[in-house]
Every structure is written in C-alpha cells, then in structure tokens.
C-alpha cells in the first residue's frame, strides 16, 4: 500500500491503467444504456419512468462512495501524514459533488411523475442535500485557504465529521417515514428487483464506478503535477 | 422503451441532464490535467 502511495510509482501505475479503465467504462456504458433503453421492461406501476433508476441509483452510490473515500483518505492523512492521502481526498470532492448533484437532479425529475412533486423535504432527499452542502463546503475550504497545510488540516476534519451523514442517508428510508422507496438491492432476503432490471442496474453501477475511478486517477495526476509546478516556481523565486 | 408514453419526456430529460453533466465533468478534468502537465513539462524543459 505504502509502495503505491509513492507519487512516482502511482503516476506510472495510473498512466498504465487509465487507457484500459476508459475502455472498460465505455463498454459498460454502451451495454448499460442498451439494457436501459432496449431490453429492460417498463415497470408495472411506474411505467417508463423506472428507466431513470439506471442513472439515479449509480449517481447516488458514487456520491456516497466518493465521500466515504474522502473520509478514509483524510483518516490516512491524519494517521500516516502521507501527502497523497490529502490529494486523494481533495480530488475526489468535485467529482463526488457532481454525482451528488446528479442524484438530486435525476431524483427530482423522477419524483414528478412518481410522487407528483419535483421536491420534498423528506429524510432521504434532505440528507442527500446536506451531503451536497458538505461537498461544497469541503471544496470551498481548499479554494479559500491559500496555505495548503492549513487547508488540508481543516478539510480533513470536515471530511471526517461530515461522514456521519453517510449512515444517515443509508438508513433514512428505514428510520423515518419517507416518500422515497426502501432499499431494494442491499436488503435481508436478497434484491427485490426483477433480474431483467437488476443486471442493467448493476452494469450501470459498475460503469459509474469505473468512470469515477478514471476521473479520480486523472485528477490525482493533475494534483501531483500542480504541486510539482508550485514547488518548481517557488524554487525559481528563491533562486532569484 | 415506448417513446410516446406520458412519462417518456421525464426519462429523456433525466438522461440529457446526466449526459451533459458527465461530459462537462470529463472535459474539465482532462483539460486541467493537460494544462498542468504541459506547464510542468515546459518548466522542466526550461531548466
């Protein structure tokens, strides 16, 4: 683990993996979209609008996964003081924020024909909205504080404290009365979705996951280059 | 997919919003990466 956290080793590995990751993402998206529009049947209650599930659920999953990764990386940064850990958390935030926005936007569009309203302040929707605010706050810390060590120290705390929202989101449909449907994949007794829809959903979840990983690797590579650039410019200034 | 169904418009809207957002995100990430690596390569060449 420590070996791969070395920036030089990481860059070598990332450059080798990225072309394959983009290819796998493209194939998974092609397969998933074919399933979503061609093979998947309409729902007996929701009709065609159920197809929004294939982009809404993966976006929500990535929004939560990215924040969990930020919290984990922040914990690693606090314990091991490894510079790549802070970079991993920092670069996951904008990507996670976009997927969080997409989860809320597609959920809102799905809500209109299903619930009869674009928005409702129920437990699941509100907790996802709080997650979006946490993302915005986390990004703002890095943007607003010029001193990188101070920004990293504050951002780590925000990522770790903010991660309490993740179990709240997950169990919000179980503990509160909500318009949002209960969990239908990770539940006791196995998934309650028909296999003809389940495989499409799993392929789309995989497609979003590989897309996130590819974007995260690219962003980490950018962050490493930016830090090297900053060091080189500082060295130039000191040399003059 | 029944394109004439009453809810088809919502499905299309959701997919268009997702596609545009993801494409903008990918383009932003790749553009930043290219700019940072080009600037770094330039400094290395100068030194």
């Amino acid at each position: 683990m420590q070996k791969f956290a070395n920036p030089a080793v990481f860059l070598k590995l990332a450059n080798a993996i990225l072309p394959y990751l983009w290819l796998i993402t493209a194939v998974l998206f092609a397969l998933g979209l074919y399933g979503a529009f061609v093979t998947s049947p309409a729902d007996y209650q929701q009709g065609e609008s159920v197809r929004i599930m294939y982009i809404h659920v993966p976006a929500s999953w990535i929004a939560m996964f990215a924040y969990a990764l930020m919290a984990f990386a922040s914990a690693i940064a606090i314990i091991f003081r490894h510079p790549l850990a802070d970079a991993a958390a920092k670069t996951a935030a904008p990507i996670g924020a976009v997927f969080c926005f997409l989860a809320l936007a597609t959920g809102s569009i799905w809500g209109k024909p299903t619930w009869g309203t674009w928005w409702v302040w129920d437990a699941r929707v509100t907790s996802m909205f709080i997650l979006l605010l946490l993302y915005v706050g986390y990004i703002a810390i890095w943007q607003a504080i010029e001193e990188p060590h101070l920004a990293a120290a504050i951002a780590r705390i925000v990522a770790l404290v903010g991660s309490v929202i993740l179990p709240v989101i997950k169990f919000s449909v179980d503990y509160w009365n909500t318009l949002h449907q209960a969990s239908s994949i990770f539940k006791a007794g196995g998934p309650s979705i028909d296999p003809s829809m389940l495989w499409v959903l799993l392929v789309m979840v995989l497609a979003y996951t590989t897309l996130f990983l590819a974007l995260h690797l690219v962003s980490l590579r950018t962050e490493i280059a930016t830090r090297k650039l900053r060091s080189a410019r500082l060295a130039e200034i000191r040399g003059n | 997919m029944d394109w004439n169904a009453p809810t088809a418009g919502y499905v299309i809207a959701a997919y268009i919003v997702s596609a545009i957002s993801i494409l903008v995100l990918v383009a932003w990430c790749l553009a930043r990466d290219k700019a940072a690596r080009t600037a770094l390569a330039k400094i290395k060449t100068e030194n």
Side-chain angles (χ1 to χ4, degrees):
Chain A
M1 188 80 180
Q2 287 282 337
K3 183 186 154 196
F4 293 115
N6 177 304
V9 176
F10 167 80
L11 281 177
K12 204 173 169 185
L13 195 71
N15 289 336
I17 289 174
L18 266 170
Y20 299 103
L21 209 50
W22 285 123
L23 184 69
I24 293 167
T25 303
V27 170
L28 285 171
F29 263 106
L31 188 64
L33 288 173
Y34 176 77
F37 283 102
V38 181
T39 68
S40 170
D43 185 67
Y44 78 104
Q45 274 184 322
Q46 299 184 42
E48 298 295 339
S49 67
V50 75
R51 296 180 202 280
I52 298 172
M53 171 177 74
Y54 302 125
I55 48 174
H56 171 71
V57 174
S60 311
W61 147 247
I62 294 299
M64 292 174 69
F65 173 72
Y67 204 92
L69 190 146
M70 283 162 57
F72 177 73
S74 299
I76 294 292
I78 289 171
I79 298 164
F80 297 108
R81 301 275 167 192
H82 200 286
L84 256 191
D86 275 327
K90 182 187 175 185
T91 51
I95 308 168
V98 169
F99 282 106
C100 192
F101 161 77
L102 277 179
L104 287 167
T106 53
S108 174
I109 296 169
W110 196 6
K112 184 62 181 166
T114 312
W115 300 339
T117 179
W118 295 102
W119 189 266
V120 60
W121 290 104
D122 80 340
R124 175 56 70 86
V125 182
T126 306
S127 53
M128 273 307 274
F129 184 68
I130 292 170
L131 181 64
L132 181 63
L133 295 180
L134 281 167
Y135 271 122
V136 173
Y138 181 90
I139 295 165
I141 287 166
W142 280 105
Q143 295 294 322
I145 301 172
E146 282 187 29
E147 212 289 295
H149 293 291
L150 180 63
I154 298 171
R156 285 175 204 148
I157 304 296
V158 170
L160 280 171
V161 173
S163 65
V164 296
I165 198 69
L166 299 178
V168 174
I169 295 170
K170 169 74 182 122
F171 297 110
S172 57
V173 288
D174 301 321
Y175 294 148
W176 288 281
N177 283 322
T178 163
L179 277 177
H180 198 282
Q181 71 174 67
S183 179
S184 48
I185 299 175
F186 297 109
K187 55 181 277 191
S192 56
I193 301 179
D194 189 80
S196 62
M197 293 175 170
L198 184 62
W199 79 263
V200 182
L201 184 58
L202 292 179
V203 168
M204 285 301 274
V205 166
L206 269 177
Y208 272 62
T209 306
T210 53
L211 174 66
F212 170 80
L213 292 176
L215 289 173
H216 194 219
L217 284 182
V218 169
S219 300
L220 258 173
R221 193 169 67 181
T222 310
E223 181 65 20
I224 291 169
T226 308
R227 286 181 182 193
K228 281 182 183 171
L229 203 59
R230 196 186 297 130
S231 302
R233 279 177 182 156
L234 279 173
E236 257 184 15
I237 292 166
R238 282 179 192 139
N240 292 336
Chain B
M1 166 92 186
D2 176 9
W3 299 97
N4 296 316
T7 54
Y10 294 103
V11 177
I12 295 163
Y15 275 81
I16 287 174
V17 168
S18 291
I20 291 172
S21 303
I22 288 172
L23 287 175
V24 168
L25 176 66
V26 171
W28 178 72
C29 285
L30 293 178
R32 280 184 70 235
D33 186 50
K34 194 180 175 186
R37 292 204 298 158
T38 307
L40 186 63
K42 198 178 161 190
I43 279 198
K44 277 182 179 171
T45 314
E46 283 170 2
N47 294 336

